[in-house]
Amino acid sequence: MRILQEFPDWRDQYIVDVQTAKDELACNNFTVNKKKLAADIYSLPANHHQTFFVRLVYEEPIYRMFFAKAIQRSVWFSDPLYGYTFAEAEQFKNDPKRRGQILCGVKIVPNPAAERLLGMVGRISPSQPVSAVRPDKDCDFTGIRVYDMGNVLSEFIYTDASLLRLSEDCDAGETVEYLNHLHFKIEDIIGKGYDNPGSANSSSAGT
């Protein structure tokens, strides 16, 4: 996870980055019915994978995943850069050298995949240790919020799912492995950068 100098506390960076992504979704008319919102997930990876913020919504009988993805097209690199923060993408939106962009869209998620995600998150205990987050450049950072009728039921933040407290009756090994690879499962749905996976419908807009 990237730690920006202007945010010595990772919590402040997390709050600002999520809000930046939410604002961009709203500006591009990707609005969410809060009463149908099941969860949202923020991910800031340690490697060359996609920074994203997604909102999982159940619109009976289907699930939709509204997403925002941070991208930079630096003049110093031939390929787009995906592992930067939303704050940086917004800051460098009009910079001719760094060319920040936030790409927004929505995907239909197969019901089994969405329900498995929510089932795994449901295994996490409400009370969590701060030690589940190690603010280090080599760690993948994940923040998950679960909702009910528009209200936040719980929030889990981690860089290592093995440090989370789980319900006693779950398969801890399976749960930890799933949560530590959640980033890649969502990336398979929404794509990386300008990728448009064919397994689900989408539409997108960018700044």
Side-chain angles (χ1 to χ4, degrees), residues 21-164:
K22 289 172 66 176
D23 290 346
E24 195 65 28
L25 283 166
C27 286
N28 284 285
N29 297 316
F30 288 100
T31 56
V32 170
N33 184 332
K34 291 184 178 180
K35 290 188 176 181
K36 297 182 178 181
L37 180 61
D40 59 34
I41 302 169
Y42 169 82
S43 181
L44 183 61
N47 48 31
H48 190 55
H49 279 272
Q50 181 66 66
T51 297
F52 60 73
F53 174 72
V54 300
R55 314 202 85 183
L56 183 64
V57 177
Y58 183 55
E59 300 173 343
E60 192 174 3
I62 63 172
Y63 285 91
R64 296 184 188 272
M65 183 172 281
F66 293 78
F67 65 82
K69 300 189 283 188
I71 306 169
Q72 286 195 43
R73 295 193 64 91
S74 170
V75 297
W76 297 287
F77 300 95
S78 58
D79 295 326
L81 305 174
Y82 306 125
Y84 284 69
T85 65
F86 285 104
E88 289 171 296
E90 179 68 21
Q91 179 183 356
F92 297 109
K93 191 163 55 175
N94 298 312
D95 189 300
K97 293 183 178 180
R98 298 187 65 170
R99 291 177 282 181
Q101 182 180 11
I102 300 175
L103 189 68
C104 299
V106 58
K107 291 280 188 180
I108 294 175
V109 183
N111 284 28
E115 289 164 2
R116 179 167 170 76
L117 188 161
L118 294 173
M120 288 293 181
V121 171
R123 297 177 176 185
I124 307 174
S125 300
S127 177
Q128 294 298 326
V130 177
S131 60
V133 173
R134 186 162 64 92
D136 186 276
K137 63 181 179 62
D138 295 322
C139 293
D140 295 325
F141 178 95
T142 304
I144 303 173
R145 284 180 293 197
V146 180
Y147 294 83
D148 180 53
M149 296 297 291
N151 299 311
V152 177
L153 285 182
S154 52
E155 182 174 24
F156 319 112
I157 307 172
Y158 63 92
T159 56
D160 182 354
S162 69
L163 299 177
L164 293 172

Side-chain angles (χ1 to χ4, degrees), residues 123 125 166-172:
R123 297 177 176 185
S125 300
L166 305 177
S167 58
E168 294 182 358
D169 59 345
C170 77
D171 183 328

